[in-house]
Amino acid sequence: MFTSAGFSPSLPLVSQGQFPATKDVTAIEGGTVNLTCRVDQNDNTSLQWSNPAQQTLYFDDKKALRDNRIELVRASWHELSISISDVTLSDEGLYTCSLFTMPVKTSKAYLTVLGVPEKPHISGFTSPVMEGDPISLTCKTSGSKPAADLRWFKGDQEITDVEKKQERDSNGKTFTVISVLDFRGDRKDDGAIVSCRVDHESLNSTPHIAMQSLDIHYTPTVRILPSTPLPQEGQQLTLTCESKGKPLPEPVLWTKDGGELPDPERMVVNGRELTITFLNKTDNGTYRCEATNSIGKNSAEYILIINEPLFTTTIIPLFTTATVKTSVTITPRSTSSVSGTKDPNAYPGVAATDHALIGGIVAVVVFVTLCSIILLGRYLARHKGTYLTNEAKGAEDAPDADTAIINAEGSQVNAEEKKEYFI
């Protein structure tokens, strides 16, 4: 009596009376396997192991076949165990344990040998691959018994849409397994790792894996990043040209309105950056960044529109009711897109008036006005006069001019009490 082969938990050998008991076993090619035969009741009867060719291997504790790979493990009236090392595929077959009673009683055990698959190999990739071109990868492994299973992965994600086939090897016992993966090159796959994994029961938890790194070349992608979303007149603006491609595009080309940059002193290019200092309305227009590599070229545009900012300033001086109010209107607006039109209101000319200078002039005017008012007030407050008339009282009653003068001089004493102040 014997059980089926495999890696499932072994069933204990159970003999019934004077009958031998064995079990099927599975071995990995190149490994070691034990064959055990047991008898519960034995009246000193001999036990024997023989191979599929019916050659005796051991008769009790005596070795019968000269094979250094076969060794005795245990020999008694109730058990005969032997081991076979460096197992080969030719060792597979039905082994017989015999109990020499009258008649002879036998039990058979089937030895299954697993063929270990070779490490897989990936072929068919030629580096580099242009974006959009077809890619066909072939994974192959030989020597597996039973036939191995090949699985494809891109990164950690398994790819199931593949073609598989298997062929029997020349020895008639093992198999060669082939799997083909077809796809098209894409820029997002550049640098990705494609792996082919061999799954087989002989490998336990350590499958064989082959890997292929993808090298995809593609045209550049371009975009322009401004340093500020709302550039204003008088500020500095930096435009960064972000370009990605393989091979890496270097350097980039900056243009304005289809031509060269008009003001190299204020428009400075440093690598992928374009810096414009002291923005004014003459800088309005469409700025283009173009990146080129050996595969092709691409570009992006940024439309710059500058208007004046809007602010209102009111100054109320102390000690006076005079009010000076200055208003300057500026509307900020900046637009960036791939395509567009120029601002029709933009016009060439000198830069806008310096707002700081205007504010300083207004402040000076107000200050001078305040000082003038204060000085005039202080002058009037300090200036006082006495209004006395020499031909004062008594002149009308005097008989002649001399008497009138005498009377007028006398009245000056009392004139100190009649002072008039004007503020």
Side-chain angles (χ1 to χ4, degrees), residues 226-268:
S227 59
T228 176
L230 296 174
Q232 296 183 7
E233 191 170 4
Q235 289 183 340
Q236 175 175 298
L237 175 64
T238 298
L239 301 178
T240 301
C241 182
E242 185 181 86
S243 59
K244 296 180 180 179
K246 192 170 184 181
L248 184 66
E250 186 71 32
V252 298
L253 175 64
W254 283 100
T255 58
K256 181 189 178 208
D257 297 332
E260 296 181 355
L261 299 177
D263 192 346
E265 293 185 357
R266 290 191 307 110
M267 300 177 179
V268 180

Side-chain angles (χ1 to χ4, degrees), residues 191-322:
I193 302 298
V194 175
S195 58
C196 175
R197 190 175 81 183
V198 180
D199 287 344
H200 194 262
E201 53 189 308
S202 66
L203 300 176
N204 297 323
S205 59
T206 56
H208 292 329
I209 299 177
M211 294 183 292
Q212 175 66 60
S213 176
L214 301 182
D215 183 14
I216 311 295
H217 284 195
Y218 53 93
T219 57
T221 57
V222 184
R223 64 172 181 167
I224 298 176
L225 305 176
S227 59
T228 176
L230 296 174
Q232 296 183 7
E233 191 170 4
Q235 289 183 340
Q236 175 175 298
L237 175 64
T238 298
L239 301 178
T240 301
C241 182
E242 185 181 86
S243 59
K244 296 180 180 179
K246 192 170 184 181
L248 184 66
E250 186 71 32
V252 298
L253 175 64
W254 283 100
T255 58
K256 181 189 178 208
D257 297 332
E260 296 181 355
L261 299 177
D263 192 346
E265 293 185 357
R266 290 191 307 110
M267 300 177 179
V268 180
V269 177
N270 183 14
R272 287 179 166 79
E273 293 184 350
L274 168 62
T275 301
I276 307 174
T277 58
F278 302 108
L279 290 173
N280 59 67
K281 286 187 177 181
T282 62
D283 298 327
N284 289 342
T286 300
Y287 293 82
R288 178 191 293 267
C289 170
E290 183 177 284
T292 305
N293 63 10
S294 59
I295 310 302
K297 63 182 179 180
N298 205 345
S299 63
E301 293 183 347
Y302 176 86
I303 300 177
L304 176 62
I305 299 177
I306 303 174
N307 290 314
E308 300 180 356
L310 173 63
F311 66 90
T312 301
T313 305
T314 302
I315 304 175
I316 304 178
L318 298 176
F319 311 113
T320 179
T321 58

Side-chain angles (χ1 to χ4, degrees), residues 9 16 45 70 80 89 97 112 165 178 187 221 230 232 245 247 252 304 309 369 392 420:
Q16 298 178 358
T45 303
I70 303 174
L80 178 60
L89 294 174
C97 175
T112 300
K165 63 180 181 179
I178 300 173
R187 66 182 62 200
T221 57
L230 296 174
Q232 296 183 7
V252 298
L304 176 62
T369 303
E420 181 178 354

Side-chain angles (χ1 to χ4, degrees), residues 6 12 20 55 122 221 349 396:
Q55 296 172 320
I122 297 177
T221 57
E396 295 179 354

